Amino acid sequence: MARQAQIRLLFFLFIGSPLHLIAQGLVASENAVEKWGVYEITLSGPTAGNPFTEVWLTAEFSSGDKRVKTTGFYDGDGVYKIRFMPEATGQWSYRTSSNVNALRGKTGSFTCRAPSATNHGPVGVRNTYHFQYANGKPYYPFGTTAYAWTHQPEPLQEQTLTTLKNASFNKIRMCVFPKTYSYVEEEPALFAYEEKGRTKRPNGSTKYEWDFTRFNPAFFRHLEKRITDLAKLNIEADLIIFHPYDKGRWGFDSMGMKNDLFYIKYLVARLSAYQNVWWSMANEFDFIKTKPREAWDVYSKAVVEADPYHHLCSIHNGTEYYDNWKPYFTHVSIQNGSTVEDFGRAVLLRDAYRKPVIYDEVCYEGNLPQRWGRLSPEEMTETFWQGVIAGTYVTHGETYRTPGDTIFWAEGGRFHGQSPARIGFLRNLLEQQPGPVELADPWKDHQTCQSDSAHYLIYLGKQMPSEWVFSLPKKGAPPTGAVFKAELIDTWNMTITPVSDTFRLGEAKDYRVYDEGFRKIRLPAKPYQAIRLTQIK
Amino acid sequence: MARQAQIRLLFFLFIGSPLHLIAQGLVASENAVEKWGVYEITLSGPTAGNPFTEVWLTAEFSSGDKRVKTTGFYDGDGVYKIRFMPEATGQWSYRTSSNVNALRGKTGSFTCRAPSATNHGPVGVRNTYHFQYANGKPYYPFGTTAYAWTHQPEPLQEQTLTTLKNASFNKIRMCVFPKTYSYVEEEPALFAYEEKGRTKRPNGSTKYEWDFTRFNPAFFRHLEKRITDLAKLNIEADLIIFHPYDKGRWGFDSMGMKNDLFYIKYLVARLSAYQNVWWSMANEFDFIKTKPREAWDVYSKAVVEADPYHHLCSIHNGTEYYDNWKPYFTHVSIQNGSTVEDFGRAVLLRDAYRKPVIYDEVCYEGNLPQRWGRLSPEEMTETFWQGVIAGTYVTHGETYRTPGDTIFWAEGGRFHGQSPARIGFLRNLLEQQPGPVELADPWKDHQTCQSDSAHYLIYLGKQMPSEWVFSLPKKGAPPTGAVFKAELIDTWNMTITPVSDTFRLGEAKDYRVYDEGFRKIRLPAKPYQAIRLTQIK
């Protein structure tokens, strides 16, 4: 049976560093795939009628006592595909099911090999509030935003990828559907649906008529290519399934529930085997006036039930939060800049939801007249520090309107801002910690976080004290006598300066423990300073 | 049939002001009760065996097409009671059901009269985030705390009531069961259960053995008297059903689920007809190590299903929040002092839970060594302002350890603190507003709240600017040309000083609207100032 199926294998071969990651199609004879790679089965089937609606195709993959059911999809021109992301090494076999003879009962087997060094697998939740790759490596989201980058001209998309390659972001918020909004009005080259016809509106714009029962495979193949491009850069694709920025222009925000669910099923069948896909049910769900609040339960459930790998899934708000505690959502994706504007705020929502919180929209570094698009680079950088020290995460966006250039937040292109470098600096600092950080005393001290009793970061924000008296919350501190070295961190100038003194913990009294000689650190009277403490053992 | 039943009616007769409220038992011939009063049926029944476990008794009350099912209870000495709180005026009738002949099929009827002027009915939720009485009057919770006041010697209980009568609190957090903790160790006079025996522990303390299948009606009658005493003062009894402060002394925190549910059923049958009862499932639920997290769903459901009137119900946390979005909970009862310590925090949880939030434990004004018990009076007052301007509510507690006196937070007694007067001052200010207040621009301006476009409060907290430039968020402001008068409020000294200037709104630009002449208000360079703006129409 396997010989009847035309099999094409995709897998990610990781050599040395992420920058050398190569995606490669292998011939069927080398019937193998990396763990967490994409194994793809290609079958020939009917073209008559409407294959999208009339043909169903599934496969069961098995290895030992493991069984995974996946859904195939029609890729146009009589081609049907099934994609599978094996989560265990070893020998796998499969058998297809279908309502069509040509696609039914196809079987085959292949080997799942150990992942290469830079393939860490999909990201999941770790210790309630944090993330890690499937291989156990911590993942700290440091995302950026380019809602419609895949709908821009090809050279611009390539430029975006080059920009991302040279920056430090490891997640990007991006929409499946094109976006029409201030500063982004281009007509995309590809659409998700087959066009039934078009007319001109009185204002000269094109009014399309779509066949919502027939997808445009070329559109999805393009999206998949871009997701693979991101994977090569070790960037997670936080894929926004619905958004409100359509307003009757194309009609993708108002297809009706039946078409919405048909789209979800097709999208998830095509994309769930890609390890770096995250599902974002919506951007600003409450601004999509065509879908009532109750609908999001139906859509979220549809996504989660169709995805055999349980990719991360969230829903992003406009001004009202959705019910983020619902079981579909692995984490919380919040819009609210005020949460990371000052101390003591970011931690609050985390404890309410008991899930990882990503402040995915906190206003953007830029120069727009709208206040959501005019953070200074210092303010944008500050949001990341405020989020990180509270054990939460923050997403960047850039809204500089520069003559003759694009605006990254919507279209991609180049960064003009000064925060990306500082965000990268913070990411490095965090990745040097032995694990995720938490506020050591979250109800009283909003500046001191720790990853364990030997590793602290203290962030001072806009405050400019001339000195910092060495002191730690008693809770979580090591015993009396422990010795720490200290480094002064300038979060804006990205410098790390060792402090010559070391510090030895005195006896804990009340709720704090001090250096036994009440030693302090001189500070440079500049904002955005931090202190890193590391126990000397 | 009605003549066979010995009927006793309790109702609250409200004359003039809350201070003159009188509770009165009426003879059966005057067969009437106020709306939201307590109608009580008393029946004679068996004394043999264990009437608590062996006899069940219910009644259906009806009036027109309204039907309410209530559960009766055994009150000892062959006396069985059914209590009912009618929520509609008019003629009501009832019929009892029971597994015992003597209690079965009793019928009767009575009149429910209009409530008197100070009887506003039970408190419910209003507009997602706020509260109101059943008659539509707004209710703004300004609570205090006296966990074990009903377990103290009688004269002390009377002193507590006198203190409350002369203060401005309209809610009190109190436990059903006695409390053993630092500063509160007295043995209560009454216990909820029948004693089977007692022994002395090696340390001299008494070890009781309880019959958890037999309640002590005298204990509950006492509790009911105190709840009625509070009702006379228009104070809501926020009744804590379980708490962790037992630690093996009496064993009421570790009775096991069967006994816990039996207790809930009895408690709710006795108390749900009292209009001023709120259910607080637990204090610091997560500190009650004898009950797993899942148990709280069972208990909360049991309370809500047994209560025909749907009294307010919440669950209070220690360090971890419970799932406050669950449908049993009408509002959120949070412990976390940091939420109301500074601007921009209190509003965050409200938006997450989409329910009214009461910060029911935010540390206490006092002089204890523990940091939860050593807020300054200024800090305690500040928490109320921080909560109120964010559209949330805060609860007071006092922990002064004064030689020869009690500590109000646990035992009741007298207030020694300075915050209660200031809290009363704020309550008056809020009640003078036309409705609940909300932050006018919650993501950017955490100082300006409004009840409508004509009524603003601006709170400056610890900041001491020498002037306040008249400016309002554009959103929610009245049109250009609107004229406001202003008053300077000293929240600590409790003064309201009219500002001689009036202010006329200029054209709104960007996100703020200013007085057309950019007029400002001189401030006295003291902390804790506020400004009240009222549109002159």
Side-chain angles (χ1 to χ4, degrees), chain A residues 354 371 374 441 510-511, chain B residues 320 371 374 441 510-511:
Chain A
R354 296 166 59 83
R371 67 185 184 183
R374 63 187 190 201
D441 187 7
D510 205 42
Y511 295 89
Chain B
E320 278 189 12
R371 66 184 186 185
R374 63 185 190 201
D441 187 7
D510 206 39
Y511 295 90

Side-chain angles (χ1 to χ4, degrees), chain B residues 215-235:
Chain B
F215 297 101
N216 174 11
F219 171 90
F220 289 93
R221 281 195 292 266
H222 171 74
L223 178 61
E224 287 150 14
K225 174 176 179 343
R226 291 316 185 192
I227 288 169
T228 305
D229 290 336
L230 293 171
K232 292 178 204 169
L233 303 174
N234 270 3
I235 295 174

Side-chain angles (χ1 to χ4, degrees), chain A residues 293 318 320-321 325 335-336 338 341 343 345 351-354 370-371 374 441 443-444 510-511, chain B residues 293 318 320-321 325 335-336 338 341 343 345 351-354 371 374 441 443-444 510-511:
Chain A
R293 193 173 171 101
E320 278 188 14
Y321 304 157
W325 50 81
Q335 170 171 196
N336 184 346
S338 82
E341 215 182 44
F343 292 104
R345 299 179 187 173
D351 290 344
Y353 290 122
R354 296 166 59 83
Q370 293 91 338
R371 67 185 184 183
R374 63 187 190 201
D441 187 7
W443 286 5
K444 276 292 168 189
D510 205 42
Y511 295 89
Chain B
R293 193 173 170 103
E320 278 189 12
Y321 304 157
W325 51 81
Q335 170 171 197
N336 184 344
S338 82
E341 214 181 45
F343 292 104
R345 299 178 187 172
D351 291 344
Y353 289 122
R354 297 167 59 84
R371 66 184 186 185
R374 63 185 190 201
D441 187 7
W443 285 5
K444 275 293 168 189
D510 206 39
Y511 295 90

Side-chain angles (χ1 to χ4, degrees), chain B residues 243-264:
Chain B
H243 68 67
Y245 325 110
D246 189 304
K247 309 274 178 199
R249 176 163 167 187
W250 304 297
F252 302 134
D253 62 343
S254 52
M255 306 189 292
M257 186 174 276
K258 193 181 154 199
N259 292 328
D260 285 346
L261 289 171
F262 192 59
Y263 154 65
I264 285 174

Side-chain angles (χ1 to χ4, degrees), chain A residues 49 62 69 114-115 123 154 225 271 325 390 422 442 503 512 516:
Chain A
S62 57
K69 256 200 126 166
V123 174
E154 285 289 323
K225 174 177 180 340
L271 292 182
W325 50 81
R422 278 83 189 172
F503 301 85
R512 306 284 299 185
E516 59 185 7

Side-chain angles (χ1 to χ4, degrees), chain B residues 431-451:
Chain B
E431 289 181 347
Q432 288 165 17
Q433 293 284 312
V437 299
E438 305 277 342
L439 287 172
D441 187 7
W443 285 5
K444 275 293 168 189
D445 177 347
H446 298 113
Q447 303 193 315
T448 306
C449 67
Q450 63 179 160
S451 54

